[in-house]
Amino acid sequence: MNNASQRGRLMLKCLQLSKKMSTRMGFEPTRAEHNGLAVHRLNHSATSSCDHRGRKYCSLSPVLKMVDSQYYLPNDIGVSALDCGEAFRLLSPQEKMYAHYLSRASWYGGLAVLLQTSPESGNIFVLLQKIFRKQTPEQLEQVATAAGLSSEEYQAFLVYVAGLYANMGNYKSFGDTKFIPNLPKDKLEALVKASQAFQEQPAEMEALWDSCSCRLYSLEDKQKQLGLGDKGITTYFSGNCGLEDAELAQKFLDSKKLAAYNTRLFKRNNGGKDCYEVRLASAVQKDCAVEGECESCCGTFNFEDKEFTVKRGDYAPLMEKVCFNLQAAEGYAANENQKKMLEEYRRSFTFGSVEAHKEGSRYWIKDKGPIVESYIGFIESYRDPFGSRGEFEGFVAVVNKAMSERFAKLVSSAEVLLPELPWPREFEKDTFLKPDFTSLDVLTFAGSGIPAGINIPNYDDIRQSEGFKNVSLGNVLAVAYATQKEKLTFLEEEDKDMFIKWKCPSFEVQVGLHELLGHGSGKLLIQDDQGKFNFDQSKVINPETGELVSSWYRGSETWDSKFSTIASSYEECRAECVGLYLCLNKQVLSIFGHDGQDAEDVVYVNWLSMVRAGLMGLEFYTPESKSWRQAHMQARFVILRVLLEAGEGLVGLEEVTGQDGKPDARITVDRSKIHTVGKNAIHRFLCKLQVLKATADVEGGRALYDGYSTVCDSGAHNFFRLRETVLLRKEARKMFVQANTRVNGDSVELVEYEGSAAGLIRSFTERFQDDSEQLEANILELSKLDAHCWC
């Protein structure tokens, strides 16, 4: 039997064993969800049950339901190509090879996000890859027409596919809301079964469709968003885990001095006793000791009368691919720091060692001013409901020298600007470690989404004592925040032209300050394992109480482990406040080329943009669970609340009726009061945020942050009703099409695609064409391995 046949049989067996379907499809919307939202016809409602082996089946019955528009992507969603052609062409042959293999490592690792997002994402991905590997979007359109789909329905299908690729799963990376195809299920099924892929392998494709089709459309309450326990779906924890399990696991990890970044947690019952499996992401599946370890971190341990087993091998086939390409990249590294960095990354992904990744990050920090910049690993914890586990991402980018010069000037001014921040010097780092701060044109960004700027690494011990890097993603900024006047919401007409003119320049300033002096500022007060303090506990006064500080971080405690579920959003809020506060500084504005009236307009638009974003953040609040689904938008809502509370007419927010006769809102900022009322409000709030963070005051931090995060219908503003208006007026976030690189002899070619849903689809089907069948079999096998854990 040939390899292709073996893989096909393995895939079919995997699908038949892992066939699991979801529960009730469709839901009755609230009044908020009716307003201005489309009617979507679903053909079936599903109820589910599990057999004794944990498999889930759905029974179907006809039903007509209303579907809130937040659960699908509109046909006119913006799709833009990230332009990196000129930057790539200027690279040397060696640099192109280096960028190529780093990109390959990133793309393969990024597939792990499918398994980190939802139980069905991996199978949906494979289904779509198989369809579009056989037929291009243009070829499939003829099939769709013959199968009875209208042009609008086929476009809706393409948009769904592009959305799944762009988000690396069927939940939005920004907001964590599920999205479903905006066409009837029977139409999609007809298209799938008429496709060439289905015609050639009907049994395998039927099993693949059956394994994911029910959950693909399901909008059961729990499946509408990511979350822990009964609040949503997560694959960072098995389905029987709750907050108490996450807290216990964190205590266990702290006791073993293990970071949670590259872990998942699985719970099972063994004879009435709860047993937990902590699984490390690694290519190696044997629980052997890693070089440099005194003993293996793997094994079985008793902790607080519970059994914990630490094992390796999560995402093993994908981590193997990552390591292979990182090793290939080493041969084209520009210096020893890059070589050692890649060696440590390989060790990390081979053995599941966060310590090795930290060591690689140290070499990365030392690699100053590279032409090709990159970072890779389990990095950001936004989508872990507990806030400790990192989603895989990898990026490769080329330095934009002109814009980087501005950021270099900002770095040079940092030691002058840091004392301007509103906390006592004892709460600032003893020495500011000047980082690299570069503007980059993204070649590759693999993961669930692409940010505008990054401040990394996230390891507190390295950031506090060794440094960090900042990057601003220039070609992302150039297309992500371009705005059409007719689509601008919630602003007065006289503000719109100025907003369009200064939005991107003001955001560049905000990103620079947010990343460098927001995330890069502030000291954590720590007592290490040897009892040594990094501050004088007999002298440092808490400015909020006027007394000596009474709390601090101890031993292996970190910011993430202490503040857990609010850590990400709280820190984003602190960084955003630093940006608002320091953008008032004329020296900062001058660095970015803004003086006189232009500088004042940049300040005004930056503050106006922030409060508008705070209002728009209500889209990412879930009333049923009283939870926020997006860290940055929660942070901006908190800032809106702070500035509204400041009073004196600084910020105005009113409900109005739009020109279309539907509910609308208007938000304004009195620019004459930004430097006085606004600055004072942010001064007070920012000082509180930093002091509570620095002193590890979790109780005080939660009380402050949760208080401002509360969404209610009482008081001066009915935020529940405003949320309805925001949902009515919302615009979908853009998706980005990224290029591929391809080795041709001794050179590397850049393959670019058009900025459309079809272009995005082609980029993904061509991205993995060399080993597609084996890769798809691996993803299905990994999905099957844990299928019983989500029931």
Side-chain angles (χ1 to χ4, degrees):
M1 184 185 298
N2 63 34
N3 289 338
S5 299
Q6 288 177 327
R7 283 194 294 268
R9 291 194 176 185
L10 171 64
M11 212 175 284
L12 180 58
K13 181 180 179 183
C14 164
L15 288 164
Q16 291 170 336
L17 287 173
S18 67
K19 187 188 276 189
K20 64 186 181 69
M21 302 195 183
S22 191
T23 55
R24 188 181 69 254
M25 187 178 303
F27 68 103
E28 295 293 347
T30 64
R31 180 167 59 89
E33 292 158 341
H34 270 296
N35 284 337
L37 303 178
V39 177
H40 182 118
R41 183 181 297 272
L42 295 180
N43 302 94
H44 298 92
S45 176
T47 55
S48 65
S49 59
C50 292
D51 69 8
H52 67 281
R53 292 176 296 278
R55 294 191 295 234
K56 185 173 275 191
Y57 302 92
C58 62
S59 59
L60 303 175
S61 59
V63 70
L64 175 68
K65 294 291 182 183
M66 295 279 292
V67 174
D68 183 343
S69 67
Q70 70 176 309
Y71 297 109
Y72 67 79
L73 305 176
N75 278 12
D76 63 352
I77 190 171
V79 184
S80 298
L82 282 184
D83 181 14
C84 62
E86 184 62 24
F88 187 79
R89 279 188 286 273
L90 292 174
L91 296 178
S92 70
Q94 178 181 338
E95 290 162 348
K96 287 179 180 179
M97 282 290 188
Y98 182 67
H100 166 75
Y101 285 111
L102 287 176
S103 292
R104 300 309 298 159
S106 298
W107 287 123
Y108 281 118
L111 294 173
V113 178
L114 293 165
L115 305 165
Q116 292 181 296
T117 299
S118 72
E120 65 273 15
S121 286
N123 285 23
I124 298 172
F125 176 85
V126 172
L127 174 73
L128 299 175
Q129 286 287 94
K130 286 185 173 298
I131 290 172
F132 284 105
R133 278 199 291 108
K134 291 294 183 180
Q135 292 169 291
T136 66
E138 292 77 15
Q139 292 169 336
L140 193 65
E141 185 172 12
Q142 300 173 23
V143 177
T145 301
L149 277 71
S150 68
S151 60
E152 291 78 12
E153 288 169 337
Y154 184 65
Q155 178 63 20
F157 170 62
L158 293 184
V159 165
Y160 176 79
V161 178
L164 186 116
Y165 288 149
N167 292 277
M168 266 292 97
N170 60 337
Y171 287 76
K172 297 175 186 176
S173 64
F174 199 87
D176 295 343
T177 306
K178 187 174 186 177
F179 59 94
I180 65 174
N182 189 22
L183 71 158
K185 183 181 176 185
D186 60 351
K187 293 285 188 76
L188 178 55
E189 182 174 8
L191 175 59
V192 169
K193 293 186 175 180
S195 68
Q196 183 177 336
F198 195 98
Q199 298 301 311
E200 292 182 2
Q201 294 181 305
E204 181 182 328
M205 290 293 288
E206 178 103 46
L208 188 48
W209 167 255
D210 288 345
S211 74
C212 62
S213 59
C214 195
R215 196 149 185 163
L216 186 151
Y217 272 94
S218 174
L219 284 175
E220 179 188 354
D221 284 345
K222 183 177 176 179
Q223 292 177 24
K224 292 177 188 175
Q225 66 282 315
L226 300 180
L228 183 59
D230 59 2
K231 290 189 175 182
I233 291 296
T234 180
T235 49
Y236 287 106
F237 299 86
S238 56
N240 56 354
C241 285
L243 181 60
E244 66 280 0
D245 299 298
E247 291 172 338
L248 178 64
Q250 187 63 57
K251 290 180 184 177
F252 166 74
L253 291 170
D254 287 344
S255 75
K256 304 299 291 183
K257 292 184 170 54
L258 284 174
Y261 284 108
N262 65 341
T263 70
R264 292 197 290 171
L265 185 70
F266 298 85
K267 176 183 175 182
R268 60 182 174 82
N269 187 278
N270 186 9
K273 182 178 181 180
D274 286 338
C275 301
Y276 297 90
E277 178 186 315
V278 175
R279 196 183 300 164
L280 309 177
S282 68
V284 167
Q285 300 186 57
K286 296 178 181 178
D287 299 332
C288 54
V290 179
E291 180 185 349
E293 286 183 322
C294 297
E295 57 182 351
S296 173
C297 63
C298 299
T300 299
F301 311 90
N302 286 315
F303 182 79
E304 295 193 5
D305 200 33
K306 300 291 190 297
E307 182 182 287
F308 279 84
T309 301
V310 180
K311 298 183 68 176
R312 292 191 170 111
D314 215 2
Y315 325 117
L318 302 179
M319 294 301 102
E320 286 180 23
K321 293 281 191 181
V322 172
C323 293
F324 175 85
N325 284 281
L326 289 178
Q327 186 168 21
E330 281 181 45
Y332 301 96
N335 54 54
E336 281 303 306
N337 279 325
Q338 288 184 359
K339 288 181 181 179
K340 291 177 179 177
M341 170 188 80
L342 295 177
E343 286 174 7
E344 293 297 334
Y345 288 165
R346 277 199 297 115
R347 198 160 70 90
S348 173
F349 301 135
T350 299
F351 297 104
S353 168
V354 171
E355 287 303 313
H357 193 269
K358 289 171 75 171
E359 195 63 25
S361 297
R362 290 185 172 97
Y363 286 116
W364 179 69
I365 293 169
K366 294 174 185 176
D367 185 28
K368 301 289 186 182
I371 301 299
V372 177
E373 184 61 282
S374 67
Y375 198 63
I376 189 170
F378 295 88
I379 312 300
E380 302 292 356
S381 57
Y382 299 125
R383 301 182 92 191
D384 169 17
F386 191 66
S388 295
R389 287 151 191 81
E391 184 176 78
F392 192 97
E393 69 179 43
F395 78 83
V396 184
V398 183
V399 172
N400 180 319
K401 292 182 180 179
M403 191 62 194
S404 296
E405 288 178 6
R406 296 182 186 178
F407 291 130
K409 290 178 182 177
L410 188 64
V411 172
S412 297
S413 304
E415 289 172 292
V416 176
L417 295 171
L418 281 170
E420 298 291 317
L421 292 172
W423 48 78
R425 62 179 180 82
E426 292 86 359
F427 289 81
E428 189 49 68
K429 295 172 186 172
D430 300 330
T431 304
F432 180 72
L433 301 167
K434 289 186 178 181
D436 246 12
F437 196 166
T438 49
S439 178
L440 306 174
D441 286 341
V442 172
L443 170 64
T444 294
F445 206 113
S448 66
I450 307 178
I454 316 171
N455 175 283
I456 37 182
N458 287 331
Y459 305 120
D460 287 335
D461 51 344
I462 294 178
R463 295 171 60 82
Q464 292 282 316
S465 60
E466 298 176 60
F468 52 90
K469 281 187 181 183
N470 295 278
V471 297
S472 174
L473 305 180
N475 58 344
V476 176
L477 283 170
V479 295
Y481 298 97
T483 309
Q484 296 175 318
K485 186 175 181 178
E486 61 271 18
K487 291 188 175 182
L488 266 181
T489 53
F490 310 130
L491 296 181
E492 297 283 8
E493 283 300 314
E494 56 265 31
D495 281 332
K496 289 184 178 180
D497 287 333
M498 182 178 294
F499 189 92
I500 290 171
K501 179 179 180 181
W502 294 110
K503 170 61 179 173
C504 284
S506 68
F507 196 66
E508 284 178 349
V509 174
Q510 180 69 13
V511 168
L513 294 171
H514 174 115
E515 300 297 346
L516 176 66
L517 299 174
H519 292 314
S521 67
K523 181 176 183 175
L524 301 183
L525 306 185
I526 299 170
Q527 180 185 18
D528 65 21
D529 288 329
Q530 287 71 46
K532 183 180 178 181
F533 290 85
N534 70 342
F535 68 102
D536 189 338
Q537 72 275 23
S538 67
K539 293 183 179 179
V540 176
I541 301 295
N542 183 325
E544 296 298 312
T545 64
E547 301 174 354
L548 290 172
V549 295
S550 56
S551 59
W552 47 82
Y553 296 85
R554 302 171 190 270
S556 59
E557 291 178 342
T558 67
W559 160 247
D560 281 336
S561 69
K562 286 289 285 183
F563 282 71
S564 63
T565 54
I566 68 166
S568 291
S569 185
Y570 187 112
E571 174 59 12
E572 294 303 332
C573 187
R574 194 183 72 90
E576 291 283 46
C577 286
V578 168
L580 285 181
Y581 193 77
L582 289 181
C583 83
L584 303 177
N585 186 294
K586 291 183 178 180
Q587 180 183 353
V588 167
L589 295 166
S590 182
I591 288 171
F592 285 88
H594 309 304
D595 297 291
Q597 185 59 46
D598 286 354
E600 289 302 314
D601 289 345
V602 166
V603 168
Y604 175 60
V605 170
N606 196 35
W607 280 63
L608 180 62
S609 179
M610 184 63 69
V611 295
R612 176 176 179 262
L615 173 62
M616 293 168 69
L618 287 167
E619 175 190 344
F620 302 95
Y621 178 76
T622 303
E624 293 80 6
S625 59
K626 297 181 179 179
S627 62
W628 286 89
R629 307 188 309 276
Q630 215 293 317
H632 298 80
M633 299 310 282
Q634 179 183 359
R636 291 158 187 164
F637 177 78
V638 166
I639 292 170
L640 170 62
R641 290 283 310 276
V642 169
L643 295 178
L644 284 169
E645 183 182 81
E648 299 187 47
L650 170 67
V651 174
L653 175 59
E654 61 175 332
E655 297 179 63
V656 299
T657 300
Q659 292 182 349
D660 57 4
K662 297 177 181 178
D664 207 340
R666 290 291 177 270
I667 194 156
T668 57
V669 174
D670 185 339
R671 64 189 300 163
S672 70
K673 295 179 179 178
I674 292 175
H675 286 269
T676 53
V677 180
K679 183 177 182 180
N680 290 337
I682 295 297
H683 182 287
R684 292 189 298 270
F685 183 61
L686 185 50
C687 185
K688 288 179 182 178
L689 288 175
Q690 171 56 23
V691 169
L692 292 166
K693 177 185 178 182
T695 57
D697 186 350
V698 179
E699 184 178 347
R702 282 192 178 276
L704 176 72
Y705 202 67
D706 287 346
Y708 280 109
S709 297
T710 300
V711 176
C712 58
D713 57 4
S714 59
H717 302 96
N718 186 329
F719 286 113
F720 279 136
R721 195 163 60 228
L722 282 165
R723 177 180 175 272
E724 298 178 15
T725 302
V726 169
L727 287 173
L728 172 66
R729 304 284 178 181
K730 72 184 181 70
E731 182 182 1
R733 289 174 67 84
K734 288 182 180 177
M735 298 188 290
F736 299 112
V737 182
Q738 299 182 59
N740 284 322
T741 53
R742 181 186 302 148
V743 174
N744 185 2
D746 295 331
S747 63
V748 179
E749 299 174 346
L750 185 71
V751 184
E752 298 179 281
Y753 304 87
E754 67 179 18
S756 67
L760 203 160
I761 292 167
R762 279 194 294 272
S763 74
F764 263 88
T765 52
E766 293 182 13
R767 192 157 285 147
F768 304 107
Q769 59 188 1
D770 293 341
D771 54 359
S772 54
E773 289 191 11
Q774 181 61 60
L775 193 62
E776 289 160 9
N778 289 338
I779 292 171
L780 293 176
E781 182 66 26
L782 290 169
S783 293
K784 182 195 103 174
L785 177 68
D786 300 318
H788 65 284
C789 297
W790 321 123
C791 184

